[in-house]
Amino acid sequence: MQQAAKILEKWGFCGAVVLQQFDVAGGRLVYSVQAGEQTLILKGQPMDVPEEKLRALVHAHKYLGNEKHMAPRLYETPGGDGYIEDGGFYYYVMEAVSGRNVLETPEEEYLLGQAAARLHHLTDYCHPSTLNVKKQIRTIEGWFADRAWKAEFDAIVARLPDFDAYRQCFIHTDIGPYNAMRDDAGRIVFIDLDDSGIGSQYVDLGWPFISQFVAYDKQTRQMSYKLEIAKAFLEGYCSVRPVTREEYDLLWGGAALSHIYNMQWHGPEAAEPLWNILRFGLAQKDKLLDYLKCIA
């Protein structure tokens, strides 16, 4: 706790008081800190994370937060840097957003969809996302050779679009209620910009349509689809940035890729249920389309 206060002195925040240390994964450090009348978030990334990834994160926060006011503002050190090195960690400081996480309700998913569309209007950013779609697809092509559904899995992978051939814009890479806050003024603010940058609109837009909107009960293995939530999110998006029928197909390709890429990282025992979630999710594409009025 005292170390966090000392680190903040390098930003010129003297006498800071640590309010809370959050329990987060990956060896990261996250503190809520009071510095005078300001509430700040101090984050530490272990230095085994490539420094270029940390630089990308800092650039994304300066752009989306300091310039576009769609993310927390990043504080620079007096020397103009966005982060420092100390005790095996990279540290950076952001303003604390006064508000709460977005709720998974139709009303707030509509607002989140609108915010995602405004995000995708941004094309003047200079740094690519660290999400490399071509590399992801090459990686997954060799997966699950021992599974009975390997041929069906390969067919889904083979049908994935060449996302790099389609529209590129600023993307978050993990849009969901847990990575967005509704501030006290009612605005949607994006947080956790770890892989943000210029990338595929359709991979970013597609992410929640399987990974979030399929509800899976681990005990009963029963699945359901959150149609009202999915509808609200996409209608909110379309109210700002209309989606054509072709783009609807592309976003479902993004949904498939996003879900598939996470299938291998949960261990062998998770492969079967995650495969069933993928098949169930893809089966909702036409059902959701029948439920929508916003697709041109």
Side-chain angles (χ1 to χ4, degrees), residues 109-111 113-114 209 228-241 243 291-295:
E109 286 282 355
Y110 186 92
L111 296 176
Q114 289 183 318
F209 283 85
E228 288 285 351
I229 301 296
K231 176 176 178 284
F233 175 80
L234 192 54
E235 288 185 340
Y237 190 95
C238 290
S239 72
V240 175
R241 185 174 188 84
V243 172
Y291 203 52
L292 295 167
K293 297 180 181 178
C294 63
I295 303 300

Side-chain angles (χ1 to χ4, degrees), residues 60-263:
H61 264 289
K62 286 182 180 179
Y63 174 80
L64 197 63
N66 300 27
E67 294 181 28
K68 304 299 182 183
H69 311 295
M70 295 179 66
R73 176 188 169 197
L74 184 91
Y75 288 89
E76 296 182 348
T77 63
D81 297 320
Y83 65 98
I84 65 165
E85 301 174 12
D86 189 287
F89 286 83
Y90 299 117
Y91 287 97
Y92 56 100
V93 180
M94 303 177 298
E95 67 177 343
V97 177
S98 181
R100 56 165 173 75
N101 278 99
V102 168
L103 303 176
E104 196 179 41
T105 64
E107 176 198 2
E108 299 216 348
E109 286 282 355
Y110 186 92
L111 296 176
L112 182 59
Q114 289 183 318
R118 288 193 290 271
L119 189 75
H120 293 166
H121 270 301
L122 303 176
T123 58
D124 60 343
Y125 188 61
C126 299
H127 303 278
S129 165
T130 53
L131 175 67
N132 187 320
V133 174
K134 274 190 164 58
K135 184 178 179 181
Q136 279 195 347
I137 293 175
R138 287 196 303 270
T139 300
I140 66 181
E141 284 172 343
W143 286 359
F144 304 122
D146 60 338
R147 301 287 175 166
W149 35 264
K150 170 65 172 171
E152 188 177 352
F153 173 84
D154 285 348
I156 293 171
V157 174
R159 289 195 298 269
L160 292 174
D162 177 6
F163 291 104
D164 290 347
Y166 295 94
R167 188 174 181 277
Q168 307 291 297
C169 58
F170 192 94
I171 64 172
H172 183 281
T173 76
D174 193 3
I175 292 174
Y178 46 85
N179 277 335
M181 296 189 69
R182 191 172 184 183
D183 70 13
D184 290 341
R187 297 181 310 127
I188 303 298
V189 177
F190 290 103
I191 58 174
D192 291 341
L193 308 182
D194 297 65
D195 294 303
S196 296
I198 294 295
S200 170
Q201 172 186 348
Y202 304 110
V203 173
D204 205 36
L205 176 57
W207 185 91
F209 283 85
I210 295 175
S211 297
Q212 180 192 342
F213 298 147
V214 174
Y216 178 74
D217 187 315
K218 291 182 180 179
Q219 298 299 319
T220 65
R221 299 188 179 184
Q222 295 297 307
M223 288 175 280
S224 60
Y225 199 69
K226 303 172 186 178
L227 276 170
E228 288 285 351
I229 301 296
K231 176 176 178 284
F233 175 80
L234 192 54
E235 288 185 340
Y237 190 95
C238 290
S239 72
V240 175
R241 185 174 188 84
V243 172
T244 66
R245 182 64 176 82
E246 178 189 15
E247 289 178 311
Y248 184 76
D249 291 340
L250 289 168
L251 79 85
W252 274 93
L257 174 62
S258 299
H259 180 81
I260 288 170
Y261 192 68
N262 287 314
M263 286 176 65

